[in-house]
Amino acid sequence: MAKDRLNIALVSDFFCPNTGGVETHIYFLAKCLLARGHKVIVITHAYGERRGIRYLSNGLKVYYLPFLIVYNGASLGQGPASFPWFRQIFISEDIQIVHGHSSFSTLAHEALMHAGILGLHTVFTDHSLFGFADASAILINFLLIQYSFANVDRFICVSYTSKENTVLRAQLDPQRVYTIPNAIETSFFYPDRKQFFENPTTVIFLGRLAYRKGADLLCEVIPTVCHRYPNVQFLIGGDGPKRVDLEEMREKYGLHERVRMLGMLPHNRVREVLVQGQIFINTSLTEAFCMSIVEAASCGLHVVSTKVGGVPEVLPDEFVILEQPVPKLLARALCDAIKMRETGRLMDPDERHKRVQKMYQWEVIAERTEVVYYDAMHDHVNTWRERLQRLLSLQRWWGLVWCWGNLLGFAIALFMEWWQPRKTLRETTAKTKTQ
């Protein structure tokens, strides 16, 4: 089995041309799986005029489905109504493994449900950490995650902290959950020695300016550090609801010349901004795996970060200063990093880049993900009765709602099989390809 070629569908609401950790992960994972000889497609929702079937420069085939976007880039749930779309794609592409990404992606959850109805194997990668006490977390854990994950074959989490979080939230068997970190394309993130040594001490922040990303912490840390070090500058890339707070902080303390707001950055400009500094600060309040600190380290920057979630697992101690998400403590940690810079005690940027190259490689991530696929392929495919029994075993009343949704999906599947049999659909697809 280990040498079999697989037909894989990667599904998420979050993909190119949008930028972000999930989008980058799917793109480079698909690229490496293609290089390993597998057939890979991506299914996502339409982005503006980008809809229908598109081929990316690396030969990756992408289905941009015309689904309505309702919140934060996620599509409106179609339920059983989206089954014909997924059935058409899965059968015509002869898909064996459906791999969903991100707990926030409605499209991924629907794809897992429809794949199960069609008897396909399923894998899910969880990229986020959730709480257990706030109302939104309770709602998504209880109403969605447990039931959506009930019949998934295997799971991947991007850190050990993320694995523990997912196992507890979804009540999963830990033996079915793998830990595989993210990676970066280090050839895109390399140092600029001239700017590193000749630019004044510059601290970089790149991320969404929102509460979860610690924008409030940043508002308190910056004035403290600027007061202690009059020559230090800050570059802030990103946008979000907390941008106004940062603008007000800058005006209140008269820091317009020292704190530059760059706004939202396309991914191809990230390296251009990172290499202008020597220190990177991450103020996130929760993170499963922080891609931005790996990108910064690859560009030769020293990292100061909050000690939350899976962040302590990402970089070795000599690359990062970790501190609790408390303004006074984080400001002190940043001042320590600035002192290291001014006394010439920071690691050489090229040496840091070489070490990151050895830590995170997409080829290794793809190889490890491949192992998960083959493991899932050995699993027994649940019958319709077994799927319904698993849903009912979680919680009877809400389980009944999910059972009715699955039963409706089964009914649509039977109708579609009568109206357009798989054999006919495959023959039509093969005829189209030869023309």
Side-chain angles (χ1 to χ4, degrees), residues 204-216:
I204 310 291
F205 173 91
L206 297 180
R208 182 164 167 75
L209 302 180
Y211 172 77
R212 191 177 72 85
K213 290 294 185 179
D216 295 309

Side-chain angles (χ1 to χ4, degrees), residues 372-385:
V372 181
Y373 292 158
Y374 290 129
D375 192 22
M377 291 293 291
H378 283 104
D379 254 17
H380 161 72
V381 177
N382 294 328
T383 63
W384 292 6
R385 176 176 292 182

Side-chain angles (χ1 to χ4, degrees), residues 80-296:
S82 63
F83 179 81
W85 291 85
F86 285 100
R87 179 182 184 270
Q88 173 87 17
I89 296 170
F90 292 158
I91 294 176
S92 61
E93 297 289 350
D94 200 21
I95 296 300
Q96 299 165 283
I97 291 272
V98 176
H99 186 174
H101 288 263
S102 181
S103 295
F104 294 103
S105 173
T106 312
L107 203 66
H109 291 294
E110 289 189 358
L112 296 176
M113 181 177 73
H114 300 325
I117 290 172
L118 290 168
L120 304 178
H121 293 283
T122 51
V123 175
F124 187 85
T125 295
D126 200 354
H127 294 262
S128 305
L129 285 177
F130 283 80
F132 295 91
D134 59 284
S136 62
I138 292 171
L139 193 67
I140 197 169
N141 291 342
F142 177 67
L143 298 184
L144 178 62
I145 298 299
Q146 291 185 27
Y147 297 93
S148 179
F149 288 178
N151 290 292
V152 175
D153 296 322
R154 292 293 183 273
F155 300 86
I156 298 173
C157 293
V158 293
S159 67
Y160 291 102
T161 302
S162 175
K163 175 179 177 178
E164 182 179 3
N165 180 268
T166 301
V167 167
L168 290 172
R169 284 190 296 120
Q171 301 177 20
L172 300 174
D173 175 5
Q175 299 298 320
R176 297 166 57 208
V177 186
Y178 289 75
T179 301
I180 303 176
N182 277 318
I184 65 166
E185 188 64 50
T186 52
S187 61
F188 295 166
F189 297 94
Y190 53 93
D192 183 330
R193 293 183 65 85
K194 180 177 174 63
Q195 293 196 72
F196 184 88
F197 290 108
E198 295 182 7
N199 284 357
T201 301
T202 304
V203 180
I204 310 291
F205 173 91
L206 297 180
R208 182 164 167 75
L209 302 180
Y211 172 77
R212 191 177 72 85
K213 290 294 185 179
D216 295 309
L217 276 176
L218 202 60
C219 287
E220 296 190 52
V221 168
I222 290 176
T224 303
V225 174
C226 286
H227 177 72
R228 287 191 59 181
Y229 290 92
N231 297 320
V232 170
Q233 300 181 4
F234 284 81
L235 284 181
I236 300 175
D239 208 344
K242 292 288 183 178
R243 176 166 182 165
V244 174
D245 295 350
L246 283 159
E247 297 277 9
E248 290 177 349
M249 174 274 295
R250 190 170 65 162
E251 184 172 344
K252 177 181 177 181
Y253 292 97
L255 298 174
H256 291 83
E257 298 299 321
R258 298 177 60 189
V259 180
R260 290 170 52 201
M261 307 287 292
L262 304 177
M264 185 61 70
L265 295 171
H267 200 257
N268 61 3
R269 283 199 59 209
V270 170
R271 187 254 171 192
E272 171 191 325
V273 174
L274 284 174
V275 296
Q276 296 179 50
Q278 303 84 21
I279 300 166
F280 183 88
I281 184 168
N282 169 53
T283 56
S284 293
L285 302 180
T286 174
E287 283 283 0
F289 182 100
C290 189
M291 292 275 283
S292 60
I293 67 174
V294 182
E295 293 171 349

Side-chain angles (χ1 to χ4, degrees), residues 355-420:
R355 290 183 59 180
V356 173
Q357 274 185 316
K358 297 176 182 177
M359 295 178 202
Y360 295 105
Q361 299 176 342
W362 279 116
E363 292 78 9
V364 175
I365 302 306
E367 186 176 348
R368 293 173 64 179
T369 304
E370 195 179 62
V371 172
V372 181
Y373 292 158
Y374 290 129
D375 192 22
M377 291 293 291
H378 283 104
D379 254 17
H380 161 72
V381 177
N382 294 328
T383 63
W384 292 6
R385 176 176 292 182
E386 288 170 333
R387 291 178 61 82
L388 297 177
Q389 286 175 339
R390 281 197 182 186
L391 292 171
L392 284 173
S393 69
L394 295 173
Q395 202 277 346
R396 183 167 297 275
W397 296 111
W398 188 242
L400 280 172
V401 175
W402 275 80
C403 282
W404 278 113
N406 274 261
L407 283 170
L408 182 56
F410 296 149
I412 295 174
L414 288 172
F415 171 77
M416 294 295 296
E417 191 63 36
W418 168 79
W419 182 62
Q420 191 178 36

